[in-house]
């Protein structure tokens, strides 16, 4: 693997980055700002100055942007496009860019003349710096450097730069990790034999061959979770196997003790002559104070990076979870152990399925407006999810152009039924606004259906903590899905099951959403048949539609329509429908036909039941129990 080093006129104006693998086909945009790799210190470099591409023959191609103001120099000449190899360089403005080899990790056997010192991190932290002011100043700037790093690559670049600047004796710094990838060929090997991966490497000079990293030293520090310093005789440096480059006679490795940097370590190598000659063959000798200071500084940098990266990881996790959980749930997660809060368990849930209808057909009819149709589906799913979250629910899953949400987990919600009903009304209102607008723009209107069922189910997190996916499963979930499908057959927008309807119509169901829920008198003597909930614009009406057996279910269920009072039948028509339904279930189809015929011109459910009776020959079949057996729509 090859690296590119950028070096400005001052020592601190530099970085070293790994060039992409040739097989990836990735190109790097080089510039002063808004590029993949930025060189902010050189005003002679344009914001987007040149493209860099690595070829399969390992040559690195540089192509100058036609809008770049200043030329690129290669081998002393202006060259807008050229190829170079390891050891060569090019110049833009006052910055030199050099292609160098990235060293590997050495597995050579150790030398006999090596002294190893192991440091517990608690002991290191109690140690006082001799040059505390300069070290503290560097550490104080580290949080800003880390938090402003948008990618791990940028984080590693800045981290190694800080260590090189703050460790004058260091000739090279690397961030290493055990290659513990479950998908790799090493997944069945003991951790003590796992390869050491060099995540990032930087050195003080432009040497063609840099000092290799000791894989044994790295593994030792990572496995023991202790900082390890090794010093060897300058006479044995070419045989030591720890660092195979003359003039480098010590190295230490500091593990990063955080789940966010699992298996990571800081590796630093340098020359003891800078600190004063130290003979490792003297078993009573202790490493120079300055070298131990460098070790302590690397320990503090590693601890700070690990903690800040862990914080960023938690922030990203919370941001991703906000897509699924309402603020009230996020508050609960913040105050409790997330693993315990999110564990799968049985709970009383209200489950909602909401589906857009007609997308497939409309996409065929409106092929010239396919992008607009896709945008509308995306917006409509956004309407569904916002309503679920606004009402304190959890986003369970997406199925094409349908969304599933539920209430009652991970925290219990005594008013989960009212919340689900309120979300259904909010979805209906917002989708009506969207479809009216889209109908004016591209000449079509989507319909939708909502199904809500209430009962016991198992809900919980599936997968890893980093990839949060929550869902609910059980008969009530299947029923909610079936109810959503029945809205099309009965020609209504929202169908709920009996437990949901009963909870909404109970007189003690108060104060559910923003204190707006109040129970009014039912519009029928049959409390189980119809009722009104709410006041003003939030008034909702429930009415019993039928006793049905949806496809795939064994037992029949009573289903109810949930609608706004402004959209429902009149009180008199409601009474007529209930009279017809009771006669239909009891088998008196003459009375049922007369009742449904009175309101069929303005009521789709009445039309549905009249059609069913017509298919049955105008009289109930033998053994009639009042149940409509329905096929899956």
């Amino acid at each position: 693997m090859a690296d590119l080093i950028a070096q400005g006129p001052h020592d601190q104006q530099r970085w070293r980055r790994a060039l992409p693998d040739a097989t990836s086909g990735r190109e790097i945009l080089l510039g002063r700002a808004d590029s993949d790799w930025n060189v902010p210190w050189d005003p002679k470099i344009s914001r987007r100055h040149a493209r860099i591409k690595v070829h399969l023959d390992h040559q690195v191609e540089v192509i100058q942007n036609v809008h770049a103001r200043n030329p690129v120099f290669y081998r002393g000449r202006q060259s807008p496009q050229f190829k170079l190899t390891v050891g060569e360089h090019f110049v833009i403005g006052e910055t030199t860019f050099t292609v160098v080899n990235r060293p590997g990790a050495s597995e050579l056997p150790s030398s006999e003349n090596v002294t190893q010192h192991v440091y517990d991190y608690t002991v290191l932290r109690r140690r006082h710096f001799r040059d505390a002011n300069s070290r503290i100043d560097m550490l104080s700037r580290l949080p800003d450097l880390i938090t402003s790093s948008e990618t791990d690559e940028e984080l590693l670049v800045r981290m190694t730069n800080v260590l090189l600047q703050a460790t004058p004796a260091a000739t090279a710094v690397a961030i290493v990790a055990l290659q513990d990838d479950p998908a790799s060929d090493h997944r069945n090997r003991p951790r003590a034999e796992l390869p050491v991966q060099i995540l990032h490497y930087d050195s003080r000079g432009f040497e063609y061959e840099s000092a290799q990293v000791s894989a044994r030293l790295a593994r030792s520090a990572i496995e023991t979770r202790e900082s390890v310093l090794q010093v060897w005789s300058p006479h044995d440096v070419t045989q030591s196997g720890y660092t195979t480059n003359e003039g480098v006679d010590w190295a230490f490795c500091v593990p990063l003790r955080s789940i966010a940097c699992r298996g990571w370590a800081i590796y630093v190598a340098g020359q003891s002559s800078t600190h004063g000659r130290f003979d490792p063959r003297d078993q009573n000798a202790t490493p120079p104070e300055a070298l131990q200071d460098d070790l302590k500084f690397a320990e503090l940098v590693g601890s700070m990076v690990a903690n800040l990266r862990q914080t960023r990881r938690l922030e990203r996790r919370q941001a991703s979870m906000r897509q699924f959980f309402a603020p009230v749930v996020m508050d609960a997660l913040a105050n409790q152990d997330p693993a315990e809060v999110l564990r799968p368990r049985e709970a009383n849930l209200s489950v909602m399925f909401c589906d857009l209808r007609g997308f497939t057909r409309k996409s065929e009819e409106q092929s010239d407006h396919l992008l607009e149709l896709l945008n509308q589906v995306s917006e409509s799913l956004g309407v569904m999810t916002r309503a679920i979250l606004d009402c304190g629910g959890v986003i369970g899953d997406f199925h094409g152009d349908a969304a599933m949400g539920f209430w009652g987990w991970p925290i219990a919600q005594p008013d989960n039924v009212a919340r689900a009903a309120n979300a259904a009304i909010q979805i209906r209102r917002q989708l009506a606004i969207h479809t009216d607008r889209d109908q004016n723009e591209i000449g079509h209107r989507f319909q939708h259906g909502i199904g809500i069922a209430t009962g016991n189910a198992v809900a919980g997190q599936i997968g890893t903590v980093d990839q949060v996916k929550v869902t609910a499963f059980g008969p009530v979930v299947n029923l909610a899905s079936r109810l959503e499908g029945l809205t099309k057959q009965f020609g209504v927008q929202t169908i709920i099951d009996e437990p949901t309807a009963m909870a909404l119509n109970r007189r003690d169901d108060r104060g559910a959403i923003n204190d707006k829920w109040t129970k009014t008198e039912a519009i029928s003597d049959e409390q189980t048949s119809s009722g009104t909930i709410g006041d003003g614009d939030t008034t909702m009406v429930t009415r019993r539609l039928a006793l049905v057996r949806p496809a795939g279910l064994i037992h029949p269920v009573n289903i109810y329509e949930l609608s706004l009072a402004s959209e429902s039948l009149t009180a008199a028509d409601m009474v007529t429908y209930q009279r017809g339904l009771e006669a239909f279930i009891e088998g008196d189809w003459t009375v049922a036909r007369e009742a449904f015929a009175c309101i069929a011109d303005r009521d789709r459910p009445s039309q549905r039941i009249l059609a069913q009776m017509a298919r049955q020959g105008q009289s109930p079949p033998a053994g009639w129990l009042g149940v409509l057996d329905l096929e899956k729509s």
Side-chain angles (χ1 to χ4, degrees):
M1 177 181 286
D3 289 355
L4 183 69
I5 298 177
Q7 179 64 64
H10 302 289
D11 290 343
Q12 68 273 20
Q13 296 174 337
R14 74 182 307 280
W15 50 247
R16 177 170 178 159
R17 302 176 188 270
L19 288 164
D21 186 86
T23 58
S24 70
R26 180 190 172 198
E27 290 189 354
I28 298 298
L29 183 59
L30 182 68
R32 192 180 73 257
D34 300 327
S35 297
D36 298 317
W37 292 353
N38 292 323
V39 187
W41 60 78
D42 197 331
K44 294 184 179 179
I45 296 178
S46 299
R47 296 173 67 87
R48 296 168 172 251
H49 204 107
R51 290 183 292 114
I52 301 174
K53 182 177 181 180
V54 180
H55 292 273
L56 293 175
D57 60 1
H58 304 297
Q59 291 193 91
V60 179
E61 184 176 16
V62 179
I63 305 170
Q64 181 178 332
N65 191 325
V66 292
H67 300 294
R69 296 190 314 252
N70 295 306
V72 179
F73 289 90
Y74 172 59
R75 295 182 178 177
R77 297 181 179 180
Q78 295 186 21
S79 302
Q81 183 172 353
F82 55 90
K83 292 181 180 178
L84 68 165
T85 58
V86 171
E88 294 188 296
H89 68 272
F90 61 94
V91 178
I92 306 175
E94 296 184 285
T95 303
T96 300
F97 299 88
T98 307
V99 178
V100 298
N101 270 330
R102 167 168 292 195
S106 171
E107 296 284 356
L108 294 177
S110 61
S111 166
E112 295 181 357
N113 295 322
V114 173
T115 301
Q116 177 167 295
H117 304 265
V118 178
Y119 297 84
D120 182 82
Y121 76 96
T122 57
V123 175
L124 280 175
R125 291 181 182 181
R126 289 198 297 268
R127 175 185 173 83
H128 296 288
F129 283 121
R130 295 184 307 155
D131 55 344
N133 290 337
S134 63
R135 302 281 186 168
I136 292 173
D137 177 66
M138 183 67 71
L139 288 172
S140 67
R141 286 183 276 142
L142 194 59
D144 287 339
L145 290 174
I146 296 172
T147 54
S148 60
S149 302
E150 296 183 357
T151 64
D152 277 347
E153 179 187 37
E154 186 65 28
L155 170 65
L156 298 180
V157 168
R158 297 185 181 192
M159 186 175 171
T160 53
N161 278 346
V162 166
L163 288 164
L164 275 176
Q165 293 177 36
T167 315
T171 58
V173 175
I175 310 300
V176 300
L178 290 186
Q179 193 173 328
D180 193 7
D181 183 359
S184 72
D185 294 334
H186 313 295
R187 58 186 178 276
N188 295 321
R189 294 173 61 174
R191 283 184 61 83
E193 299 179 8
L194 289 174
V196 172
Q197 178 184 7
I198 299 178
L199 302 178
H200 188 69
Y201 183 97
D202 203 354
S203 59
R204 202 171 293 283
F206 293 89
E207 66 276 10
Y208 177 77
E209 292 292 345
S210 301
Q212 289 190 338
V213 170
S214 168
R216 295 177 178 223
L217 173 54
R219 282 198 205 93
S220 175
I222 293 171
E223 287 298 302
T224 62
R225 296 175 63 83
E226 293 181 312
S227 297
V228 180
L229 166 66
Q230 291 181 339
V231 187
W232 53 92
S233 169
H235 304 294
D236 284 344
V237 293
T238 57
Q239 290 84 33
S240 69
Y242 289 89
T243 301
T244 57
N245 195 46
E246 291 190 10
V248 177
D249 51 15
W250 62 261
F252 63 72
C253 195
V254 174
L256 273 63
R257 303 174 188 87
S258 168
I259 192 172
C261 304
R262 187 190 300 274
W264 287 22
I266 296 172
Y267 184 97
V268 182
Q271 299 180 34
S272 61
S273 58
T274 308
H275 292 306
R277 181 59 62 184
F278 169 71
D279 190 351
R281 291 171 293 185
D282 182 357
Q283 298 299 317
N284 296 319
T286 58
E289 291 289 321
L291 186 54
Q292 295 184 63
D293 278 358
D294 291 341
L295 185 67
K296 173 182 171 67
F297 182 78
E299 173 76 43
L300 291 176
V301 170
S303 177
M304 189 174 295
V305 168
N307 290 335
L308 289 173
R309 196 167 187 266
Q310 175 72 0
T311 300
R312 289 174 59 177
R313 185 183 184 188
L314 292 173
E315 289 173 349
R316 287 194 298 268
R317 183 194 305 170
Q318 283 223 328
S320 66
M321 291 169 69
R322 290 185 190 280
Q323 302 175 42
F324 302 97
F325 299 131
V328 65
V329 180
M330 294 301 298
D331 291 341
L333 292 173
N335 297 323
Q336 302 178 51
D337 179 8
E340 176 62 23
V341 174
L342 300 179
R343 68 176 177 82
R345 61 183 178 275
E346 189 171 329
N348 182 261
L349 303 182
S350 289
V351 183
M352 170 194 288
F353 275 81
C354 184
D355 179 55
L356 289 178
R357 297 206 186 99
F359 174 72
T360 301
R361 179 171 56 85
K362 291 297 182 183
S363 64
E364 295 175 355
E365 295 175 354
Q366 304 284 342
S367 58
D368 293 339
H369 301 285
L370 188 56
L371 183 59
E372 290 90 335
L373 288 170
L374 291 172
N375 287 338
Q376 188 199 353
V377 170
S378 178
E379 289 182 8
S380 298
L381 288 173
V383 168
M384 299 175 193
T385 57
R386 281 194 300 273
I388 293 170
L389 296 178
D390 287 348
C391 294
V394 176
I395 305 300
D397 212 342
F398 293 99
H399 302 275
D401 51 1
M404 187 266 274
F406 55 90
W407 290 259
W409 180 95
I411 57 176
Q413 294 168 308
D415 56 351
N416 58 327
V417 171
R419 290 177 179 273
N422 206 32
I425 296 302
Q426 182 175 326
I427 289 172
R428 289 178 55 180
R429 286 175 166 171
Q430 291 300 315
L431 288 181
I433 294 173
H434 278 258
T435 51
D436 284 342
R437 180 203 64 196
D438 294 328
Q439 184 178 27
N440 293 332
E441 290 180 356
I442 56 176
H444 74 271
R445 180 187 178 97
F446 280 126
Q447 300 296 323
H448 68 277
I450 298 174
I452 301 174
T454 299
N456 287 336
V458 174
Q461 174 183 309
I462 293 177
T464 66
V465 176
D466 290 329
Q467 297 178 331
V468 178
K469 178 178 177 60
V470 296
T471 192
F473 49 95
V476 70
V477 179
N478 296 333
L479 177 57
S481 177
R482 296 293 190 275
L483 296 182
E484 181 279 315
L486 295 184
T487 59
K488 185 176 182 181
Q489 294 191 36
F490 280 84
V492 298
Q493 290 185 315
T494 305
I495 291 182
I496 60 179
D497 68 345
E498 189 164 30
T500 303
M502 294 304 95
L504 287 174
N505 284 318
R506 278 198 296 266
R507 290 179 179 272
D508 60 349
D509 188 25
R510 299 175 182 270
I513 299 293
N514 297 326
D515 295 326
K516 291 182 179 179
W517 292 102
T518 59
K519 179 69 176 66
T520 65
E521 291 299 324
I523 60 175
S524 166
D525 291 337
E526 295 291 334
Q527 288 293 323
T528 60
S529 296
S530 60
T532 62
I533 311 96
D535 55 3
D537 292 339
T538 63
T539 301
M540 290 182 283
V541 175
T542 63
R543 67 155 163 166
R544 186 185 181 196
L545 290 178
L547 179 64
V548 304
R549 189 175 5 248
L553 300 185
I554 299 175
H555 302 292
V557 295
N558 281 304
I559 62 172
Y560 293 72
E561 178 190 13
L562 176 68
S563 63
L564 287 172
S566 59
E567 302 170 343
S568 65
L569 295 174
T570 65
D573 287 345
M574 283 284 203
V575 172
T576 300
Y577 184 89
Q578 296 304 322
R579 184 173 67 250
L581 179 61
E582 291 171 6
F584 174 72
I585 292 174
E586 292 172 1
D588 189 350
W589 284 16
T590 300
V591 173
R593 276 194 299 274
E594 291 176 355
F596 289 132
C598 292
I599 57 176
D601 61 336
R602 52 191 178 276
D603 185 48
R604 290 282 300 282
S606 296
Q607 298 171 21
R608 172 67 178 81
I609 297 180
L610 284 171
Q612 182 71 24
M613 288 191 290
R615 285 194 295 270
Q616 294 289 342
Q618 304 301 324
S619 60
W624 172 250
L625 297 176
V627 180
L628 280 177
D629 287 302
L630 303 175
E631 297 180 357
K632 190 173 181 179
S633 59

